[in-house]
Amino acid sequence: MKKLTNHTTRRKFVKRISQGTGAGLFLPASMGVLNSACSSQSSSESATESTEAPPKKDRLGLALVGLGNYSNGQLAPALEQTEKCYLAGIVTGTPAKAEEWKQKYNIPDRNIYNYDNYDELIDNDDIDIVYVVLPNAMHAEYTIRAAKAGKHVITEKPMAISVNECQQMIDACNENSVKLAVGYRLHYEPFNQEIMRLAEEQVFGSLTSIENAFGFTIGDPTQWRLNYELAGGGALMDVGIYTLQAACYTSGEEPVSVVAEEFKTDMEKFSEVDETVNFTLTFPSGLKANCQTSYNKSYNKLRADAENGWFELSPAYTYGPLAGETSNGPMDFPQIREQAVHMDRFAECIMQDETIKTTGEMGIRDMKIIEAIYQSIEQGNKEVAIAL
Ligand code: NAD
């Protein structure tokens, strides 16, 4: 296995960070029209109409943007279990998928969009929430366009492919008074919630170390996940993000520095993105989390050691069934569809004007950590401070 310290992928990444540009982020010409349409509508409304609150809905309408594997295999089935929101619309570039989903989920024609007429969502009161489930480099553009159309947004992880993009997404949502969440489903999953509780309540005393790893062997060499422009990075962006998330929610702290190394065995397949990355995060208390992620090795485990015991999940991060154990014995929690809980919680936050746990601020924090990891690799595995 070859250890990499100065790879072209990292150079591209660091260049993008220093330029403060996000790949694929643009604002369509129609945005100006949308904004003016918005303001002219409110100014022409009569005083009585503009003070009338819209009728309260029992369930919010959600539109999935991108009907790939995650939408098809996880989110659409989860939306059959949700109580506060439902699958009201779809956005797809493939007419055959539009027809199939229309039949399967009984979606009216007026709620079916493509990537060109997406901004017309602004006129559709059936859709309250847009869920962006596109390749990573498209999250920023489709989140910003949704915000400008007045829709609340859930964007998949990673939130985007640079800190700069994440900031633009947060700003767009704030400017348009809509809420933003990142698809960090494990915050709503009972085994991972138990890990957070055990650590926070110091059930086994203070933590002494965290070890975690998430990786899988990636297939099709032509897929977007191996394309730098669409993915923004490799295993680290895709599944390594779970390990740094877990390091934060297990420690209850945010890291102050990182040391990282990148390894490659297949230079052709992984010519554009990282294959295997190992990194160590240091937290303010001095606690360290050793994290591993790979597109060429399967692992799926989270373990915390403490002064008086230990606790772990294995598997920790996949859709389930998950399993957990502590030094006192096995954990026993229900297997749930965490995506349904997450989407319902987001709908509830919109209805009650509350803040969801998995905010855009959490997404941008994680992108800052990812950028620091790539910088450490670029700088020959030096320790890099993380400014959050
Ligand atoms: P996928 O390849 O199965 O689906 C991607 C969708 O985007 C497809 O419908 C495709 O047609 C569409 N698309 C539009 N423009 C495209 C383009 N230029 N290139 C490629 N596809 C394009 O991917 P996926 O596994 O569904 O992942 C989508 C997003 O969801 C990713 O950001 C991924 O990280 C995230 N995801 C999250 C989880 C989770 O557990 N939270 C799990 C899987 C995926």
Side-chain angles (χ1 to χ4, degrees):
M1 185 175 277
K2 184 163 188 238
K3 184 177 139 185
L4 297 183
T5 53
N6 191 20
H7 185 247
T8 48
T9 305
R10 302 284 68 74
R11 279 201 293 274
K12 278 199 238 171
F13 189 90
V14 170
K15 189 165 168 231
R16 190 179 64 217
I17 297 167
S18 58
Q19 288 173 336
T21 56
L25 177 59
F26 71 94
L27 297 182
S30 56
M31 287 294 95
V33 178
L34 288 178
N35 284 334
S36 55
C38 226
S39 48
S40 69
Q41 187 189 10
S42 43
S43 61
S44 65
E45 279 169 347
S46 72
T48 320
E49 280 166 344
S50 62
T51 51
E52 257 176 31
K56 291 230 170 195
K57 294 181 180 178
D58 294 334
R59 298 173 87 203
L60 300 184
L62 181 148
L64 290 173
V65 187
L67 307 180
N69 289 325
Y70 194 55
S71 284
N72 195 35
Q74 298 299 324
L75 297 177
L79 283 159
E80 296 192 298
Q81 296 178 7
T82 46
E83 293 173 357
K84 312 259 186 237
C85 58
Y86 68 100
L87 181 59
I90 49 175
V91 182
T92 175
T94 313
K97 278 193 203 168
E99 191 53 36
E100 187 192 324
W101 279 63
K102 170 183 161 175
Q103 303 296 339
K104 189 169 177 188
Y105 295 107
N106 201 19
I107 298 170
D109 285 331
R110 66 174 186 279
N111 293 352
I112 299 177
Y113 292 84
N114 56 48
Y115 300 117
D116 296 326
N117 66 11
Y118 179 68
D119 309 299
E120 292 171 17
L121 276 167
I122 196 170
D123 295 320
N124 191 330
D125 290 338
D126 289 353
I127 313 291
D128 305 285
I129 303 168
V130 162
Y131 196 148
V132 180
V133 203
L134 292 165
N136 307 340
M138 300 172 76
H139 293 179
E141 180 197 337
Y142 284 85
T143 294
I144 292 168
R145 285 170 70 180
K148 292 196 173 197
K151 305 302 172 187
H152 303 282
V153 189
I154 307 176
T155 184
E156 255 316 315
K157 43 60 55 179
M159 180 172 166
I161 58 169
S162 71
V163 170
N164 181 49
E165 280 191 348
C166 293
Q167 191 58 57
Q168 291 182 48
M169 295 157 84
I170 291 170
D171 292 346
C173 289
N174 286 340
E175 282 158 17
N176 291 282
S177 303
V178 295
K179 292 188 187 291
L180 174 61
V182 182
Y184 288 139
R185 58 186 167 76
L186 293 175
H187 287 260
Y188 307 91
E189 190 287 313
F191 285 88
N192 280 273
Q193 286 176 329
E194 175 65 356
I195 291 288
M196 297 171 207
R197 186 192 72 81
L198 291 171
E200 190 183 341
E201 295 179 9
Q202 299 206 345
V203 173
F204 297 101
S206 300
L207 298 189
T208 53
S209 71
I210 297 172
E211 304 278 333
N212 67 29
F214 193 18
F216 70 100
T217 305
I218 200 161
D220 179 8
T222 65
Q223 64 184 286
W224 65 263
R225 281 183 166 80
L226 300 173
N227 174 324
Y228 180 78
E229 291 303 325
L230 284 169
L236 177 62
M237 279 275 181
D238 191 18
V239 286
I241 194 166
Y242 286 92
T243 66
L244 65 89
Q245 266 271 311
C248 292
Y249 63 67
T250 306
S251 65
E253 299 183 72
E254 293 184 329
V256 289
S257 70
V258 66
V259 177
E261 290 179 303
E262 181 186 10
F263 300 91
K264 260 185 221 243
T265 57
D266 188 335
M267 302 301 282
E268 196 181 336
K269 191 170 187 179
F270 302 103
S271 62
E272 297 196 18
V273 300
D274 45 281
E275 176 189 318
T276 298
V277 176
N278 296 346
F279 57 97
T280 301
L281 297 166
T282 300
F283 293 93
S285 63
L287 179 70
K288 290 191 188 294
N290 293 318
C291 308
Q292 292 177 278
T293 186
S294 180
Y295 266 163
N296 204 18
K297 280 187 199 161
S298 291
Y299 26 53
N300 184 353
K301 187 170 175 174
L302 165 60
R303 179 181 170 103
D305 282 277
E307 290 166 315
N308 308 315
W310 53 266
F311 44 99
E312 66 176 34
L313 299 182
S314 177
Y317 304 115
T318 32
Y319 310 132
L322 302 185
E325 199 172 346
T326 76
S327 39
N328 287 345
M331 293 182 191
D332 183 17
F333 292 101
Q335 306 287 338
I336 63 151
R337 206 180 263 283
E338 61 256 42
Q339 295 90 349
V341 181
H342 178 210
M343 289 187 279
D344 264 349
R345 178 64 193 134
F346 189 55
E348 202 171 57
C349 285
I350 293 164
M351 291 191 264
Q352 298 173 5
D353 196 17
E354 292 172 357
T355 303
I356 195 155
K357 284 188 277 195
T358 44
T359 54
E361 282 70 23
M362 184 181 273
I364 197 171
R365 176 202 70 186
D366 294 349
M367 195 53 55
K368 286 176 183 170
I369 298 171
I370 286 176
E371 287 191 352
I373 292 169
Y374 282 139
Q375 280 169 356
S376 172
I377 293 167
E378 182 71 15
Q379 292 171 17
N381 322 122
K382 288 217 174 92
E383 182 165 17
V384 169
I386 302 173
L388 296 176

